[in-house]
Amino acid sequence: MRATTLTAKAVRSSLFAVAATSFATAGLFSINAIAEEGQADKVERIAVTGSRIKRTDMETASPVSVIDASSIIASGSTSIDDVLQKMTSSGGAMTNAAVNNGSGGNATMNLRGLGSNRTLVLVNGRRMIASGTGAASTVDLNTIPVSMIQRVEVLKDGASAVYGTDAIAGVVNIILKRDFDGLEMNAQTGISAQGDADESSLDFTLGNSFDKGNIVVNAQYTKRGDASQADRSFSDCPVSETGAAGAKTLYCGGSSYSEGGHVWGYNGADLSGLGGEYHEFTDEDKYNYSKDSFLSTPMERINLTLAGTYEVTDSTLFFTEAMYTKRWFEQQMAPQPIWNSEAWEYQPISAGGFMTDELLPWVAAGELVDYGRRTVESGSRDFSQTVDTIRIVLGLEGEFDNGWTWDVSYNKGKNDSVDTLANLHNLGSINDAVLAGEFDPFLQSSWEGESIEPFIYTELNSGGSELDILAGTLSGSIMDLPAGELGFAAGYEHRKESAYYTPDSLTAQGLANDPRVEPTSGEFRVDELYAELAIPLLSDLPLAQQVDLSAATRYFNYSTFGEDTTWKLGLTWRLYDDLMVRAGRSTAFRAPTVSELFGGASPSFDQIVHPATTQSQAEVTVGGNELLTPEEADITTIGLVYSPSYVEGLSFTVDYFDIAITNTITAVDSNYVANQCLDADGTKINTNTALCQASNIEIDNTGRISFDNGLQNIGATNTSGYDINVAYTFDALELSWKAGLDTSILSTYEEFDPDGNAVNYRGYITGNTGSYAKFKSNFNLTAMGDDWSATYEARFIDGMDSFACKDNPSNCYAPSVGSILYHDLSGSYDITNAVRLSAGINNIFDEEPPYYTGNLDSNTDPYTYDVIGRYFFVRANVKF
């Protein structure tokens, strides 16, 4: 965005004047929210998600999906991420319990597959602290207590004009219980058909209303057990492919950093020490790292929540929200793969050296060798995270005599994390010991017991983030127009965000086995002004029962890059009672986060498929960039809402969306970089392109590919498609029924690399960024009797092609995956008015996740598919 624009200058002078006189520079959002109880002689006003203007009509210009508490209970989920990630409008990479490698225990939401950092998460309409491990830049959904959720509203449209940064793909607004009387307790437990991945949760909610207010207290404890990749046939070993193109076969492969050591001689030797005796390395010597890895990660979590209100005067209400979460997460991976960063000279004892003679038949004395090893003698790599997150909101809200409402609030959030990684090896010290003649890496006993113990350490890292927001809002009706009231809202927000990450001292110095990890530290401040108008244009006319225009604009000034504005226009045209057309046009932005701006360089081991190497991972250096500028987006939505009066209870919506992001902050797909910049022989190609020049790509003697792939403002990202919803409530067979069908159709999804080349992801599944199915659909049907209910749900994901095989499908065993359909069933029964029992089975037919060439982990994509299989749960609910 430009540092200063004419619009920004005008807004800075008088934002309210711009909002009131320029309807061509604004917009509005959403649907369905809390009904505010007014006085008996007043029309009920509704606080609509995404708008500061209370109104009498819930239908607005933007599409919203609403998930109520009963739907969450029916799913058997103890974390809200499990529900949100199954929405048809979600996609791409979303961390969850099945992501063992690199998740840090975080759980995220990703609308439109545009990235979790482009989906804004709110709690009761206010920002949630970025949370999780390290210098967090997205909201960890583990911090949201499921037992306190009243409903979740998912706005599938840009919302920067009201909420500011991050709301490009949409907004997830989690509404917590505010007015609650009595005591409610829940106990739930579940387990897979394999007897693992058990999960139990206990919670209670206590609320009381008094003369001048209400207070609600909630506590929830959740514990989840682990599942191992070794306990599923599809994941018990890392599948590898061999053979000529078009005639590929599969075998149980693994890593070339193998047990017993792997020696690459510069004169062509390729040796394995598996079994204690050196021999020519074959596929049989590869290490099966799957057997040591979690398929589902264990977790323990405590959520404490308080909400309260107090009537200060007849027209002023004090409110507060407080949330605290402490979570403990673990991941487990195979013993550490280690390698020497520089070649060692082989110095056998028979030639006057200190190394074992066991390599002599293949390696000459004085020959340079590369070495890799799987340190099974030291045990698996054990990851753990302890994360504390706190959020406190204090505020006042009130109403003037003329009916205008106001509120002021202070929102404070803080997140702290400590993560450890046990059973690492200080290769810097090992290398020094080898060079000093004090450690023989080729002697198997060197890696055992007291010999290796001095070189083993536990990595200790710390990180955190902090959020401070001071905000105020004013809203009301300006005047009565012939078609209705002219609504207005305006507000101010000051926000400060900071984050840090301090890596272990050995890792920070580059003395450990992994490449050096640099620290992260930084902050930014922003001041924002915004205004909205709700403008009734026509009413009570033929084919124009009600026509409304909505407009919003927001001015922002960041300490990191300067100032600009964003706007939105929305139109609702109700032709008659049954039919409404809606449309929206807006601009949106996403400011670079602290970690994106100031994140230190660190290694990432990304899955790749490349003919120049047999290794399945590339060493990719990632990191922040202080020169980043905000992303900009142009967003268009057009929809239709139809509720035929001749079929009571039936409603139908279809919405088209088009999101065009420029100045995209991203890193290029690792497979794409490797295949663009290295040919089949490992020779550098396309060296004149910006992409390959910036990558600094190399391939070493072991076949490991390494390159730089830091964040940049790269080209553009475009996506478009359709969301279709059908809902029907009816009575039949002396029962009440509720049916729903949600479908998302992806028309386009493409990114542009630094050289302007379009990279198409529509219909592809990747090894690093999840999947982009052309078609996804969810169906649910609920039957309700007087004291029972039963729900059937089906979830369909269309087949996809592997992105790693895009250029040469014949060179892949599985260049595509078929479609998959999951079936879930749940039910509840009221034993008494106070006691309800529920139970369910998820993935009834135990559908296994598909294998595809270039997969992420567990030979599949845990971002997209269910890896646990058939799962049972039971729940007891007691209310007083």
Side-chain angles (χ1 to χ4, degrees):
M1 288 185 176
R2 298 178 297 278
T4 305
T5 65
L6 292 175
T7 306
K9 292 177 181 177
V11 172
R12 183 172 53 193
S13 301
S14 178
L15 179 68
F16 300 146
V18 170
T21 59
S22 180
F23 301 150
T25 59
L28 178 72
F29 319 119
S30 167
I31 185 174
N32 207 324
I34 306 170
E36 297 287 339
E37 292 186 2
Q39 298 176 11
D41 59 344
K42 292 187 177 180
V43 177
E44 184 180 60
R45 302 286 179 174
I46 300 167
V48 181
T49 297
S51 175
R52 312 291 179 178
I53 301 173
K54 293 184 176 70
R55 63 200 68 225
T56 59
D57 187 0
M58 294 188 301
E59 297 286 0
T60 59
S62 296
V64 166
S65 293
V66 180
I67 305 169
D68 61 19
S70 63
S71 298
I72 298 172
I73 292 172
S75 71
S77 300
T78 59
S79 298
I80 191 59
D81 60 286
D82 188 48
V83 177
L84 294 173
Q85 291 179 2
K86 292 176 180 177
M87 294 182 62
T88 62
S89 54
S90 66
M94 295 173 286
T95 53
N96 56 64
V99 181
N100 181 57
N101 185 359
S103 71
N106 300 321
T108 58
M109 175 57 175
N110 186 348
L111 281 171
R112 307 297 187 200
L114 288 171
S116 299
N117 51 6
R118 297 187 186 99
T119 301
L120 178 63
V121 176
L122 307 174
V123 175
N124 293 336
R126 297 179 178 85
R127 283 182 179 266
M128 182 64 186
I129 173 73
S131 45
T133 308
S137 58
T138 58
V139 174
D140 177 15
L141 295 173
N142 287 294
T143 59
I144 311 298
V146 167
S147 55
M148 270 291 283
I149 295 177
Q150 181 173 324
R151 70 182 174 280
V152 180
E153 299 174 0
V154 182
L155 170 66
K156 295 175 286 187
D157 193 2
S160 286
V162 170
Y163 294 122
T165 183
D166 302 341
I168 289 180
V171 177
V172 175
N173 188 12
I174 301 168
I175 310 297
L176 302 182
K177 298 172 183 176
R178 180 170 176 176
D179 296 320
F180 181 84
D181 281 296
L183 172 64
E184 180 176 358
M185 297 182 292
N186 296 285
Q188 179 172 316
T189 188
I191 195 166
S192 77
Q194 300 292 327
D196 53 16
D198 55 296
E199 187 167 7
S200 297
S201 178
L202 294 170
D203 68 77
F204 75 85
T205 305
L206 178 64
N208 182 52
S209 296
F210 46 92
D211 289 344
K212 288 184 174 290
N214 179 274
I215 187 167
V216 182
V217 178
N218 173 271
Q220 180 174 342
Y221 171 75
T222 307
K223 185 174 184 179
R224 181 177 66 224
D226 65 79
S228 172
Q229 292 183 18
D231 294 331
R232 301 293 191 278
S233 59
F234 64 83
S235 62
D236 59 1
C237 76
V239 174
S240 297
E241 301 179 6
T242 188
K248 292 285 186 179
T249 59
L250 301 180
Y251 68 95
C252 183
S255 171
S256 58
Y257 294 87
S258 54
E259 184 176 353
H262 191 167
V263 180
W264 294 272
Y266 274 54
N267 291 332
D270 188 14
L271 308 177
S272 170
L274 182 65
E277 294 184 2
Y278 284 97
H279 53 274
E280 294 286 348
F281 188 93
T282 69
D283 288 339
E284 298 297 322
D285 296 299
K286 290 183 176 181
Y287 185 75
N288 178 1
Y289 50 80
S290 294
K291 63 185 178 66
D292 304 302
S293 298
F294 284 148
L295 183 69
S296 180
T297 55
M299 173 269 292
E300 196 169 0
R301 184 182 70 221
I302 296 173
N303 296 95
L304 301 176
T305 310
L306 179 145
T309 61
Y310 183 78
E311 188 178 316
V312 180
T313 70
D314 289 343
S315 60
T316 304
L317 186 72
F318 167 79
F319 64 88
T320 184
E321 302 166 12
M323 303 169 62
Y324 171 72
T325 301
K326 190 176 187 72
R327 68 168 174 87
W328 300 265
F329 265 78
E330 296 178 12
Q331 299 86 45
Q332 179 178 290
M333 295 180 65
Q336 184 184 16
I338 67 170
W339 60 91
N340 55 342
S341 56
E342 296 181 3
W344 288 328
E345 181 181 339
Y346 180 48
Q347 303 177 41
I349 294 174
S350 59
F354 68 99
M355 297 176 175
T356 177
D357 289 341
E358 295 179 20
L359 303 186
L360 279 177
W362 300 277
V363 181
E367 183 179 342
L368 294 178
V369 297
D370 284 318
Y371 186 74
R373 186 182 186 91
R374 186 68 59 166
T375 55
V376 296
E377 298 82 0
S378 303
S380 62
R381 283 170 291 170
D382 299 327
F383 300 75
S384 67
Q385 302 88 33
T386 301
V387 184
D388 293 270
T389 307
I390 189 168
R391 176 182 186 263
I392 298 175
V393 176
L394 302 173
L396 293 170
E397 60 185 36
E399 184 174 347
F400 297 113
D401 292 340
N402 63 357
W404 281 54
T405 61
W406 59 271
D407 68 78
V408 293
S409 63
Y410 173 61
N411 182 349
K412 174 69 176 181
K414 197 170 190 301
N415 180 79
D416 292 296
S417 67
V418 174
D419 64 280
T420 63
L421 174 51
N423 295 332
L424 291 182
H425 298 74
N426 186 341
L427 189 58
S429 295
I430 292 175
N431 187 68
D432 291 343
V434 172
L435 297 179
E438 300 170 352
F439 187 89
D440 180 5
F442 308 114
L443 185 66
Q444 299 296 342
S445 60
S446 296
W447 300 94
E448 302 173 355
E450 295 181 357
S451 176
I452 193 62
E453 186 174 338
F455 302 105
I456 300 175
Y457 74 100
T458 296
E459 182 180 274
L460 176 65
N461 313 296
S462 61
S465 58
E466 199 161 351
L467 172 72
D468 293 272
I469 302 176
L470 182 63
T473 302
L474 178 68
S475 66
S477 174
I478 297 177
M479 66 176 70
D480 288 328
L481 297 177
E485 292 182 349
L486 174 62
F488 171 77
Y492 165 78
E493 182 176 298
H494 172 79
R495 187 169 80 254
K496 175 186 174 184
E497 294 189 38
S498 61
Y500 76 94
Y501 175 70
T502 304
D504 185 271
S505 59
L506 288 176
T507 307
Q509 296 175 71
L511 299 177
N513 181 60
D514 288 335
R516 182 183 178 210
V517 175
E518 299 176 346
T520 296
S521 181
E523 67 175 40
F524 64 80
R525 293 177 174 83
V526 57
D527 290 287
E528 299 177 287
L529 293 169
Y530 56 87
E532 292 183 62
L533 290 171
I535 311 159
L537 301 179
L538 301 171
S539 66
D540 299 326
L541 297 175
L543 296 181
Q545 185 183 86
Q546 185 69 46
V547 180
D548 295 326
L549 175 70
S550 57
T553 186
R554 191 179 192 95
Y555 161 77
F556 49 88
N557 190 336
Y558 277 77
S559 61
T560 45
F561 61 82
E563 60 184 16
D564 213 316
T565 58
T566 187
W567 56 265
K568 184 169 183 178
L569 284 174
L571 181 70
T572 59
W573 188 306
R574 184 171 295 279
L575 286 80
Y576 59 100
D577 283 343
D578 296 3
L579 180 63
M580 186 186 80
V581 177
R582 59 190 178 194
R585 175 70 176 169
S586 66
T587 62
F589 76 102
R590 188 180 76 83
T593 65
V594 171
S595 60
E596 289 173 334
L597 288 166
F598 309 113
S602 62
S604 175
F605 294 91
D606 293 352
Q607 297 292 119
I608 64 165
V609 175
H610 196 283
T613 181
T614 58
Q615 296 196 30
S616 60
Q617 289 183 326
E619 180 186 317
V620 184
T621 300
V622 299
N625 181 354
E626 292 189 35
L627 300 179
L628 292 174
T629 57
E631 299 176 340
E632 303 172 56
D634 290 312
I635 302 168
T636 301
T637 60
I638 302 172
L640 179 147
V641 180
Y642 182 55
S643 300
S645 55
Y646 51 86
V647 183
E648 184 179 355
L650 178 64
S651 65
F652 173 85
T653 65
V654 58
D655 291 279
Y656 167 79
F657 67 90
D658 183 282
I659 304 172
I661 307 173
T662 56
N663 222 29
T664 305
I665 300 172
T666 189
V668 182
D669 180 84
S670 292
N671 260 298
Y672 184 77
V673 175
N675 285 282
Q676 284 291 306
C677 302
L678 284 181
D679 67 11
D681 298 323
T683 303
K684 295 181 183 180
I685 56 176
N686 297 324
T687 55
N688 61 330
T689 64
L691 174 69
C692 295
Q693 288 177 351
S695 71
N696 297 313
I697 197 165
E698 299 286 349
I699 183 169
D700 64 19
N701 191 48
T702 73
R704 180 181 287 277
I705 296 174
S706 61
F707 53 89
D708 298 332
N709 198 13
L711 293 173
Q712 305 175 57
N713 287 108
I714 299 175
T717 302
N718 299 328
T719 185
S720 65
Y722 298 87
D723 290 325
I724 302 169
N725 172 266
V726 181
Y728 186 33
T729 59
F730 59 98
D731 294 327
L733 303 176
E734 299 183 350
L735 299 174
S736 297
W737 299 80
K738 179 174 65 175
L741 179 66
D742 281 302
T743 299
S744 291
I745 301 171
L746 185 63
S747 300
T748 60
Y749 194 106
E750 60 183 6
E751 294 183 354
F752 292 82
D753 71 14
D755 299 293
N757 301 309
V759 183
N760 178 30
Y761 287 95
R762 175 180 176 263
Y764 285 97
I765 186 168
T766 75
N768 300 302
T769 58
S771 63
Y772 303 87
K774 297 177 183 177
F775 184 90
K776 297 170 73 174
S777 189
N778 292 347
F779 171 77
N780 64 81
L781 177 65
T782 299
M784 292 168 284
D786 292 336
D787 53 9
W788 64 272
S789 68
T791 298
Y792 164 75
E793 295 182 323
R795 183 163 60 99
F796 175 82
I797 303 173
D798 197 15
M800 288 172 280
D801 297 324
S802 171
F803 189 80
C805 306
K806 185 175 183 179
D807 295 330
N808 190 5
S810 65
N811 200 39
C812 299
Y813 177 87
S816 62
V817 297
S819 61
I820 196 165
L821 180 62
Y822 296 107
H823 304 267
D824 304 332
L825 185 64
S826 62
S828 65
Y829 178 70
D830 295 332
I831 296 178
T832 68
N833 290 335
V835 180
R836 171 177 291 182
L837 291 181
S838 305
I841 307 174
N842 292 334
N843 195 353
I844 297 173
F845 299 109
D846 202 22
E847 293 285 346
E848 286 192 353
Y851 167 79
Y852 64 97
T853 305
N855 56 79
L856 173 64
D857 194 13
S858 306
N859 299 315
T860 188
D861 180 9
Y863 291 140
T864 302
Y865 300 110
D866 173 25
V867 299
I868 295 300
R870 187 180 296 116
Y871 195 85
F872 306 91
F873 68 90
V874 293
R875 174 189 179 95
N877 170 267
V878 180
K879 292 181 180 180
F880 299 100

